[in-house]
Amino acid sequence: MNDTVKKQGTLDRREVVKAILDKRGDALVVTGLGSSCYDCGVHDHLNTFYLWGAMGAAAMLGLGLALAQPSRRVIVVTGDGEMLMGLGALATIGAKRPPNLSIVVMDNELYAETGMQPTHTAKGVSLSGMAKAATFAYAETVYTQDELEKGIAAIYDTAGPALLDIKVSNKRYPMSIRLRDGAHLKNRFREHLLGQKAFD
């Protein structure tokens, strides 16, 4: 008989995202698709780029941005399903080792956008374990508020790359955001980041 009790995510994703974004300063934020967009959209900022439906691309977009903007902290906020779609990104990021890149995975162990099917993390697959194997400077899985607070400090202060896998509850929020036009979002982000150079 297996007497091991599986830990469950109980943290509220909206409260977690608020706690992360409250400390963003001038950090650039890239969101994965679906709920990550909705969560960050509640705290919309000109330095946030919403990736919307490009599943599996958030970490690599964050890598490109971190390499292009080495003086700025880049935070990728995504979900476990989206991160699992682009696992090869962890190896590439580990090879490039950008010190200013942090990936935050809101891990509810579900594919929320397609009907709440369990993801691999529900079966014990560890995204932080994969990041550690890919030579990330920091990688942890957190379940509690105390662990979260330490993790948030690490994603801003660690000479990365860093990955924080946050086990959140499966509570769903309304899927709404004001900004959906991809061209507008790209231009808004570039203009705020580059100023006049965005038009040269």
Side-chain angles (χ1 to χ4, degrees):
M1 179 177 151
N2 184 356
D3 59 356
T4 301
V5 177
K6 182 179 179 298
K7 288 184 177 180
Q8 297 291 321
T10 58
L11 295 170
D12 182 284
R13 62 183 308 128
R14 287 283 166 92
E15 293 176 7
V16 168
V17 167
K18 181 179 186 308
I20 292 168
L21 296 181
D22 279 351
K23 297 183 183 302
R24 69 180 295 167
D26 70 347
L28 306 172
V29 174
V30 175
T31 75
L33 84 167
S35 295
S36 302
C37 288
Y38 308 131
D39 295 339
C40 291
V42 173
H43 311 281
D44 185 38
H45 192 286
L46 294 174
N47 282 343
T48 299
F49 183 72
Y50 303 96
L51 205 48
W52 278 111
M55 189 169 186
M60 290 306 287
L61 196 149
L63 172 61
L65 193 56
L67 294 175
Q69 298 291 327
S71 65
R72 304 285 289 271
R73 175 64 64 171
V74 176
I75 308 289
V76 174
V77 180
T78 190
D80 48 315
E82 204 269 352
M83 189 69 251
L84 285 161
M85 177 70 82
L87 276 182
L90 297 181
T92 303
I93 292 167
K96 297 298 290 185
R97 296 188 65 80
N100 57 329
L101 176 62
S102 295
I103 299 172
V104 174
V105 181
M106 307 298 290
D107 187 353
N108 63 0
E109 304 183 350
L110 296 166
Y111 289 104
E113 305 308 310
T114 59
M116 306 295 275
Q117 301 90 348
T119 68
H120 299 71
T121 63
K123 303 291 185 184
V125 171
S126 170
L127 292 170
S128 64
M130 291 181 174
K132 287 176 183 174
T135 75
F136 274 51
Y138 173 89
E140 291 295 336
T141 300
V142 304
Y143 291 88
T144 68
Q145 190 65 35
D146 286 345
E147 293 170 341
L148 175 65
E149 290 171 11
K150 292 174 185 171
I152 291 173
I155 63 171
Y156 285 107
D157 298 336
T158 299
L163 183 141
L164 188 62
D165 184 23
I166 304 170
K167 294 291 186 176
V168 296
S169 73
N170 61 8
K171 180 178 180 180
R172 299 195 77 182
Y173 282 92
M175 298 179 183
S176 61
I177 187 171
R178 292 175 295 138
L179 302 172
R180 288 182 176 270
D181 184 276
H184 171 71
L185 288 168
K186 179 200 72 173
N187 292 336
R188 182 184 86 145
F189 184 78
R190 290 190 74 236
E191 182 176 359
H192 189 67
L193 175 60
L194 302 172
Q196 184 58 41
K197 290 180 181 177
F199 305 103
D200 293 342

